[in-house]
Amino acid sequence: MELKTEPLHAQFGARVFGVDLTGPLDGETVAAINRAVDEFSLLCFPDQPMTDEAHLAFTRRLGEPEAEHVTLGKTGETVFFGTVGNVADDGTVRRGDHPNTKYQTGNEQWHSDSSFRAVPSTVSITHAYEVPGEDGATEFASMRSAYERLSDEDKARIEPLRAVHDYVFSRSPIAPVDPNHAASLPPVVHPLVRRNPTTGTANYYAGSHARSIVGWGGMESRRLIDDLNAGATREEDIYRHCWAVGDTVIWDNRCLLHRGGGYDANKWRRRMRQTRVVGPAVVA
Ligand code: OGA
Ligand code: MN
């Protein structure tokens, strides 16, 4: 079985038609979705009649749901959803000066979700319930395409390297990180080059949580990581997803970077719900 798709960007991404993610999905459809994730890195399923219950059930079809790190770190409690945007659970708006809204501006730096965890997430699954009337896009770029653009020498140079990923490093300059949360996320090490376990296609794995290269000094580390991040996110590499209510987007954190494009939180409501699939682990 093949999904009906339409490309979203020259390098990656596809819109998928004719699949209701909330309905019962047979094994063939789930296998086709997994193949499409491996091929396109990002899939948008428009007009999904989503609920949290259906969202979590679908997440479980793709793998093990990830415990959301903020709640886990602060309280020890496992919840499988994060809320993206400025609408609290009781429906009220958290304006731009609210700590949670400020904290979420950290997502406006290029990143791969959960790269700072010992076992990062494979995919994020995000559903849009309320979207701003202007701005509020999420931008994506492919570290697989960027890897392909490297010279053979540069590919060989980065192949053996490992990077330290550190949430407190990347996020504390933007908003304070709760001490319990910080303590729950010690820096971790991941290979700088990784390969899709099914297709073998290589990419590098950097982003704003990548702090340094193991065994390298600070300046050389920053030069390489900054170059890799910049090399993946030139204007022509970016797919800008302008959310429509009802979009469910799956993106592959193993090979994509993304960032929030920002919006006026004092003017608009934005509410998206997100789950992530964790692992399997990649050995550094
Ligand atoms: C995310 C994220 C950025 C945004 O949902 O993981 O980083 O668009 N979002 O707010
Ligand atoms: Mn994110």
Side-chain angles (χ1 to χ4, degrees):
M1 167 204 180
E2 282 278 315
L3 299 178
K4 196 167 161 250
T5 60
E6 170 188 289
L8 289 170
H9 185 276
Q11 296 178 18
F12 66 97
R15 197 183 304 279
V16 182
F17 301 97
V19 179
D20 179 353
L21 298 175
T22 72
L25 292 176
D26 58 28
E28 270 195 35
T29 306
V30 173
I33 291 171
N34 278 319
R35 279 198 303 276
V37 168
D38 286 339
E39 180 178 352
F40 295 108
S41 306
L42 179 149
L43 302 175
C44 175
F45 298 78
D47 300 320
Q48 298 295 310
M50 194 52 83
T51 61
D52 275 0
E53 196 186 357
H55 191 153
L56 185 57
F58 173 64
T59 304
R60 291 189 196 281
R61 296 300 299 279
L62 297 190
E64 186 188 336
E66 181 180 88
E68 193 276 317
H69 66 93
V70 182
T71 302
L72 183 68
K74 282 185 177 171
T75 71
E77 190 195 343
T78 294
V79 297
F80 293 127
F81 282 90
T83 299
V84 179
N86 62 344
V87 181
D89 287 347
D90 65 5
T92 56
V93 167
R94 292 165 165 163
R95 293 172 60 86
D97 58 1
H98 186 284
N100 188 277
T101 306
K102 270 208 181 121
Y103 158 81
Q104 286 199 35
T105 62
N107 287 333
E108 294 172 17
Q109 301 176 80
W110 290 108
H111 65 281
S112 168
D113 287 336
S114 302
S115 79
F116 48 83
R117 301 182 83 167
V119 182
S121 68
T122 317
V123 294
S124 297
I125 306 167
T126 305
H127 183 80
Y129 287 95
E130 295 183 72
V131 304
E134 60 189 356
D135 303 325
T138 307
E139 302 180 337
F140 296 88
S142 173
M143 295 181 283
R144 178 183 294 167
S145 300
Y147 177 86
E148 283 164 14
R149 291 192 294 270
L150 295 179
S151 67
D152 288 345
E153 280 129 293
D154 281 341
K155 283 179 184 163
R157 188 167 73 102
I158 68 171
E159 180 70 32
L161 302 179
R162 296 181 305 152
V164 176
H165 293 245
D166 181 353
Y167 183 85
V168 177
F169 162 80
S170 58
R171 292 302 172 86
S172 55
I174 292 145
V177 180
D178 170 90
N180 290 343
H181 185 201
S184 75
L185 294 172
V188 297
V189 171
H190 296 302
L192 186 57
V193 178
R194 53 191 295 178
R195 287 179 173 76
N196 179 294
T198 307
T199 64
T201 312
N203 62 271
Y204 57 76
Y205 187 61
S208 55
H209 302 305
R211 186 182 82 183
S212 55
I213 303 296
V214 175
W216 285 27
M219 283 173 60
E220 310 130 82
S221 281
R222 287 318 312 166
R223 198 171 301 129
L224 177 60
I225 293 168
D226 290 347
D227 282 353
L228 293 175
N229 288 337
T233 58
R234 305 166 308 166
E235 180 60 27
E236 63 266 38
D237 304 325
I238 297 173
Y239 166 63
R240 231 166 238 110
H241 188 71
C242 300
W243 295 91
V245 172
D247 282 351
T248 304
V249 175
I250 306 174
W251 66 78
D252 189 342
N253 287 304
R254 297 169 298 182
C255 61
L256 293 187
L257 292 172
H258 65 279
R259 69 174 178 187
Y263 64 103
D264 186 346
N266 296 332
K267 185 167 172 192
W268 304 107
R269 292 170 66 91
R270 185 174 192 250
R271 180 170 181 272
M272 309 201 285
R273 296 280 278 168
Q274 181 177 99
T275 59
R276 297 174 186 174
V277 173
V278 61
V282 183
V283 179

